[in-house]
Amino acid sequence: MEPAILIITLACGMLVSRVGLPPLIGYLVAGFVLFLFGIDESSLPLLEQLAELGVTLLLFAIGLKLDIKSLFKAEVWAGSSLHLMGSMLFFIPLLKLLGMLGLEQLTELEFNQLALLAFALSFSSTIFAVKILEDKGDMQSLYGRVAIGILIMQDIFAVAFLTISKGDIPSVWAFCLLLLPLAKPLIYRAFDRVGHGELLVLFGLVMALVLGAWLFEVVGLKPDLGALIIGILLAGHPKSSELAKSLFYFKELFLVAFFLTVGLNGLPSFSDIGLATLLVVIVPIKMLLFLYLLTHFKLRSRTALMSSFSLGNYSEFGLIVAAVATSKGWLPSQWMVILAVALSISFLFAAPLNAASSRLYQKLQGRLIKLERHPLHPEDRPIPVGNPRFLILGMGRIGSGAYDELKANFDGEILGIEHKQELADFHQSEGRNVVQGDASDTDFWEKLDRAPNLELVLLAMPHHIGNQFAVEQLKRLNYQGKLSAIVQYSDDAQSLRESGVHSIYNLYEAAGAGFVEHVVKDLLADNQTKEEDTSEVVEVKQQG
């Protein structure tokens, strides 16, 4: 039966992907289909183990990407905390009311069970938000960073619940885990030496599953908590992003097993589907609460709305919480199925809503702007550009090199844009005119002051999608000057030419030309030195 499981899962995932939805909905459907064929969770013990590995690697990956400093921003830690409390205060009486009105799934539930459900329903989907932001190229936008920060805080709340739910009193040896930061230099040294191939993947698995999950479980703590903490410990290493990418498909594959196990819990009844649909109807209340909170933290209404759209769904972590609660007997098992259906339906509505988010903001801008609090958040204020002749988008090595070349002849007429605040600060300390902003984000162009004498824009961002997006935004603003771009691949160059970019330089070809120019220059210098030495010898002989 194993081949059939793989085929059905693949087919459902592909069908769902074709309509623009996350494949995980297909995996949930595949679980229901397999249940129809008489397969349940107890007949596939390996699937349960793979599902646990998926959750563990998910938390490890979150830890690897976690910037602790970002969590201390008020709009992130306070916004997520207040939203959690507000959601629970809203959901608990609502679920109680629905039970009193006769919904059979809620009539027998006690207060602590309603609180558990409210807790699970308060989460938003990390997987969905990351996919939406990556597809739109908005991962580094302010609204994207705020949404991801809130999601990470929600994940931390979930991990805290999972740890507490273990129920066992930790061993006294658990205090020894406080010494883990002291092992950081040794771990980093090993990290440096594992290279970039299969040893890197194996290193990541050992860190997540042995030093993280197994070690924490031995001392009586939740394994998932260990994976998260070890991920955070490794997050400061230069190769942490590479490790996260290396483990990405392991994590995604094992999470398929988790979503399958949810579907294998049983088929939803018509009343379950009705209740799940009713829960989805309530999702806009979650979004409005996010919108209200984020504007009160002085974010622009557009930033708050776009973040709220990204968070307007139910979460796979809500399913994980429900899975633990049902396994402990705290909730009836049918709630796993109800929440899985609610999650799927919420994605069906959230996908087109996010696609139309910019158009919706334009229509609602007049009303939404009244929610804003002034002075605005420092990262969300209009970007002053002065009156430059040259604009450089992306101040990495290429952008900063171009800036310095232009500075020799046009000092005071150049502006650089860099999305990382620390890099913008560095360039400013070096005497360059650079401001912080992300040109791959529509927010940047909405906040950018106009520069009437702009003659040339240099597109030096590392990703083609960002440069392409910048061209589209400049066209929208009726920019009439010249455009130059750096590309890595020939097909990227073609699409930029078609978009109206005047001059394009292939990064590798330019690097090769520069390398040869440097070698030839050194060779000519060596030959000249030899000629001078020879002439000196001849001159000495003649004098002799």
Side-chain angles (χ1 to χ4, degrees):
M1 196 63 189
E2 289 77 5
I5 293 174
L6 291 174
I7 291 169
I8 290 171
T9 304
L10 175 63
C12 291
M14 289 178 67
L15 286 171
V16 167
S17 297
R18 288 294 298 272
V19 296
L21 293 172
L24 67 87
I25 297 177
Y27 308 145
L28 290 169
V29 173
F32 294 138
V33 172
L34 291 170
F35 185 82
L36 277 174
F37 285 111
I39 300 173
D40 59 20
E41 200 173 347
S42 60
S43 63
L44 295 170
L46 178 60
L47 200 64
E48 181 70 24
Q49 294 173 14
L50 293 177
E52 291 176 1
L53 285 175
V55 175
T56 300
L57 290 178
L58 173 63
L59 289 162
F60 181 65
I62 289 170
L64 284 174
K65 298 176 182 178
L66 183 58
D67 179 8
I68 294 292
K69 292 183 293 184
S70 69
L71 302 184
F72 291 106
K73 295 180 178 179
E75 64 270 17
V76 173
W77 71 265
S80 56
S81 301
L82 290 171
H83 190 273
L84 173 65
M85 290 186 284
S87 295
M88 293 190 68
L89 289 173
F90 170 74
F91 276 116
I92 291 173
L94 176 67
L95 294 172
K96 183 66 177 177
L97 177 62
L98 292 175
M100 293 171 64
L101 291 175
L103 287 178
E104 58 181 358
Q105 300 94 333
L106 293 162
T107 51
E108 301 296 327
L109 296 187
E110 299 177 358
F111 177 81
N112 59 338
Q113 292 175 306
L114 294 175
L116 261 177
L117 283 175
F119 182 65
L121 292 169
S122 69
F123 295 115
S124 302
S125 172
T126 303
I127 293 174
F128 182 86
V130 169
K131 175 175 171 48
I132 288 292
L133 291 169
E134 285 180 342
D135 289 348
K136 295 168 70 175
D138 284 350
M139 280 294 289
Q140 293 302 320
S141 67
L142 178 59
Y143 90 83
R145 286 183 281 122
V146 169
I148 294 298
I150 289 172
L151 287 165
I152 289 172
M153 285 299 301
Q154 290 182 348
D155 296 345
I156 291 172
F157 297 150
V159 172
F161 167 79
L162 296 176
T163 302
I164 295 168
S165 69
K166 197 168 186 295
D168 300 330
I169 299 175
S171 164
V172 293
W173 292 103
F175 290 104
C176 295
L177 296 176
L178 296 173
L179 301 176
L180 271 176
L182 298 179
K184 189 174 177 179
L186 184 62
I187 295 172
Y188 272 39
R189 192 176 303 168
F191 205 169
D192 290 331
R193 295 182 178 180
V194 293
H196 304 278
E198 69 279 1
L199 275 178
L200 178 64
V201 176
L202 188 58
F203 173 81
L205 292 174
V206 169
M207 290 295 103
L209 304 179
V210 180
L211 191 60
W214 178 79
L215 184 61
F216 274 62
E217 188 173 28
V218 164
V219 297
L221 293 173
K222 188 71 175 173
D224 303 330
L225 176 64
L228 178 68
I229 289 176
I230 296 300
I232 293 172
L233 192 68
L234 296 176
H237 194 278
K239 286 164 64 176
S240 61
S241 178
E242 183 184 352
L243 177 58
K245 292 176 182 176
S246 299
L247 293 175
F248 177 80
Y249 290 109
F250 281 94
K251 177 197 70 176
E252 294 294 293
L253 189 60
F254 293 149
L255 281 174
V256 170
F258 171 76
F259 292 114
L260 281 175
T261 59
V262 172
L264 290 172
N265 275 277
L267 290 174
S269 64
F270 285 113
S271 61
D272 290 340
I273 295 172
L275 178 55
T277 305
L278 184 60
L279 292 175
V280 174
V281 172
I282 301 166
V283 168
I285 304 296
K286 288 179 63 175
M287 296 170 61
L288 287 173
L289 182 56
F290 274 123
L291 178 64
Y292 177 81
L293 288 170
L294 293 176
T295 51
H296 273 65
F297 284 110
K298 299 186 176 181
L299 292 172
R300 287 192 310 134
S301 57
R302 184 183 184 280
T303 303
L305 183 71
M306 300 292 278
S307 296
S308 302
F309 281 162
S310 300
L311 300 167
N313 46 60
Y314 291 120
S315 170
E316 63 280 353
F317 261 108
L319 285 180
I320 294 170
V321 169
V324 171
T326 54
S327 68
K328 297 281 185 181
W330 298 340
L331 283 175
S333 59
Q334 70 182 126
W335 273 101
M336 276 284 289
V337 178
I338 295 170
L339 291 178
V341 175
L343 171 75
S344 302
I345 299 174
S346 73
F347 284 179
L348 289 172
F349 285 96
L353 186 65
N354 277 271
S357 56
S358 294
R359 294 195 300 274
L360 288 171
Y361 173 73
Q362 294 299 328
K363 292 181 179 179
L364 300 171
Q365 185 176 7
R367 297 178 183 178
L368 293 173
I369 206 165
K370 296 176 183 177
L371 296 173
E372 293 180 354
R373 299 295 183 92
H374 294 272
L376 288 171
H377 190 287
E379 292 185 62
D380 217 10
R381 295 171 186 168
I383 301 173
V385 299
N387 192 19
R389 290 176 61 191
F390 304 95
L391 181 65
I392 302 175
L393 303 179
M395 287 297 292
R397 284 176 294 181
I398 295 172
S400 56
Y403 186 104
D404 292 339
E405 288 293 323
L406 285 169
K407 188 176 180 180
N409 297 310
F410 304 101
D411 192 18
E413 298 180 281
I414 317 161
L415 175 67
I417 304 293
E418 171 55 48
H419 80 274
K420 293 182 180 179
Q421 184 63 58
E422 59 269 22
L423 277 180
D425 293 339
F426 167 77
H427 287 305
Q428 289 168 8
S429 68
E430 294 290 310
R432 300 185 182 101
N433 180 27
V434 176
V435 297
Q436 190 271 333
D438 184 6
S440 63
D441 171 28
T442 49
D443 248 5
F444 166 81
W445 301 99
E446 294 283 341
K447 294 184 290 186
L448 191 67
D449 286 346
R450 302 297 176 256
N453 295 317
L454 192 60
E455 296 179 10
L456 174 66
V457 176
L458 301 176
L459 305 171
M461 291 181 285
H463 302 295
H464 170 67
I465 188 172
N467 290 327
Q468 185 76 54
F469 179 80
V471 174
E472 294 168 2
Q473 295 302 309
L474 286 163
K475 280 186 174 181
R476 185 178 63 84
L477 296 174
N478 297 318
Y479 170 67
Q480 301 297 320
K482 296 289 186 181
L483 286 167
S484 294
I486 290 288
V487 299
Q488 296 185 42
Y489 306 106
S490 57
D491 53 345
D492 292 345
Q494 182 61 32
S495 66
L496 285 173
R497 283 194 189 94
E498 292 171 357
S499 299
V501 176
H502 302 92
S503 53
I504 297 171
Y505 301 90
N506 187 293
L507 184 63
Y508 298 123
E509 290 176 1
F515 175 61
V516 171
E517 182 182 354
H518 176 73
V519 169
V520 170
K521 185 178 179 181
D522 284 350
L523 185 61
L524 291 174
D526 288 343
N527 289 339
Q528 185 178 356
T529 302
K530 289 177 181 178
E531 289 175 2
E532 290 175 354
D533 291 343
T534 303
S535 63
E536 287 178 3
V537 170
V538 171
E539 186 178 344
V540 169
K541 287 183 177 179
Q542 289 175 348
Q543 289 176 356

